[in-house]
Amino acid sequence: MRVAILFSGRGSNLKSVIEYSKNIDSINIVCTVTDNPTAEGISYPFSAGIPTIILPDRKTSSSFKEWESIITSVLSKYDVELVVLAGFMIVLHDDFCSHWMGRCINIHPSLLPRFPGLNTHQRALESGDSLHGCTVHWVTREVDGGEIISQAMVEIFPQDTIASLAEKVLACEHQLLPGVVRAICEGDLAFETNHQDSIPHIQV
Ligand code: GRF
C-alpha cells in the first residue's frame, strides 16, 4: 500500500515506520510531507531515498482551506492510499478529514480518550494516574477523537518525571505505529464504515 507520512519536528516516529518498512513489502512509503522546513527529522527520509515535500508557508495561502488543499494535491499526486500523521502539529480541518476519512491515522501520546491535545505526560502525572501510554486512531474532524485502533500502555511510577514518562511512551510509539501501518497495509485492519464520523458532514 502506498503510504505518506506527515511530520513537523523530531521525526522519530517517521524514522521508526521507514526503518520497519524496509523489510515489509506491503508498506510502500512513497513520500513524506512537512510544514516545517527546519524540522529535525527532515534529512532522514532523503537518506532513505524517500522524497520529502515541504509545504509552503501557511501565510502565503489566502485561507487555511486553500493551504490544506495543497496537502491533498501532493498526496494525490503520489497516489497515496494511507496517510500517517506522525507528530504533524497542524490541526486538519473538515475538507481534509472528510477526503481522507478511513485512510488517515494519527499517533497520540496518551491513552485516549484520556488527555487529547497537548502536554499529555504532565497531565497524566498531575492526575495521579498509574497508567499512561499511546494511541493510534483514525483521523476524524474531532481532534484526537477518531476511532481508536490500538494502544500501548506504560506504568507510571512515583519517581517518574515528564521526561522519563515521555521517553517510555515514545519507545512504545515506535513499536505501536509500524505494526498498525502494517496491519492496514495487509488488509487486517480497516475503518469501521458504520462509525458515526463516516457520515458526511453537512454545514448549515
Ligand atoms: C509523538 O509523541 C507523537 O505521539 C505526537 O507527536 C510526537 C512526535 O514525535 N503526535 P516524533 O516527531 O515522531 O519524534
Side-chain angles (χ1 to χ4, degrees):
M1 187 175 273
R2 297 175 68 82
V3 178
I5 306 175
L6 275 59
F7 69 107
S8 296
R10 183 176 51 190
S12 67
N13 279 291
L14 159 99
K15 192 171 175 179
S16 74
V17 178
I18 292 177
E19 279 299 312
Y20 183 81
S21 72
K22 287 180 180 168
N23 301 312
I24 307 293
D25 290 345
S26 60
I27 308 174
N28 179 14
I29 302 174
V30 291
C31 66
T32 64
V33 178
T34 187
D35 61 307
N36 177 9
T38 61
E40 200 184 320
I42 208 159
S43 60
Y44 182 76
F46 179 75
S47 66
I50 298 167
T52 296
I53 291 84
I54 301 172
L55 295 167
D57 191 318
R58 267 180 292 162
K59 290 188 219 96
T60 61
S61 292
S62 60
S63 64
F64 185 84
K65 195 180 166 94
E66 185 191 292
W67 182 81
E68 205 181 45
S69 72
I70 298 170
I71 311 178
T72 290
S73 303
V74 167
L75 298 175
S76 302
K77 186 175 147 220
Y78 281 88
D79 289 328
V80 168
E81 296 168 288
L82 175 67
V83 182
V84 178
L85 305 183
F88 189 62
M89 298 308 286
I90 308 285
V91 175
L92 294 160
H93 292 186
D94 277 4
D95 285 355
F96 185 93
C97 295
S98 306
H99 185 91
W100 293 100
M101 192 167 296
R103 299 181 292 158
C104 182
I105 61 173
N106 179 48
I107 179 129
H108 181 76
S110 80
L111 295 172
L112 290 171
R114 206 141 171 76
F115 312 129
L118 299 174
N119 305 319
T120 56
H121 310 309
Q122 181 180 347
R123 288 155 71 199
L125 281 174
E126 285 172 358
S127 303
D129 290 8
S130 55
L131 288 175
H132 187 41
C134 53
T135 302
V136 179
H137 64 92
W138 295 106
V139 171
T140 60
R141 51 185 183 271
E142 189 192 340
V143 178
D144 300 327
E147 191 188 348
I148 291 169
I149 299 171
S150 192
Q151 296 183 307
M153 272 189 280
V154 300
E155 257 187 277
I156 301 182
F157 298 113
Q159 66 273 24
D160 268 319
T161 61
I162 295 174
S164 69
L165 208 47
E167 192 181 330
K168 284 195 284 189
V169 171
L170 194 64
C172 286
E173 293 184 34
H174 296 163
Q175 299 293 314
L176 186 70
L177 185 59
V180 170
V181 171
R182 180 182 185 168
I184 295 171
C185 288
E186 295 186 356
D188 293 336
L189 244 172
F191 186 67
E192 284 286 329
T193 47
N194 62 357
H195 191 275
Q196 204 186 340
D197 260 307
S198 65
I199 298 164
H201 181 53
I202 299 163
Q203 262 181 333
V204 286

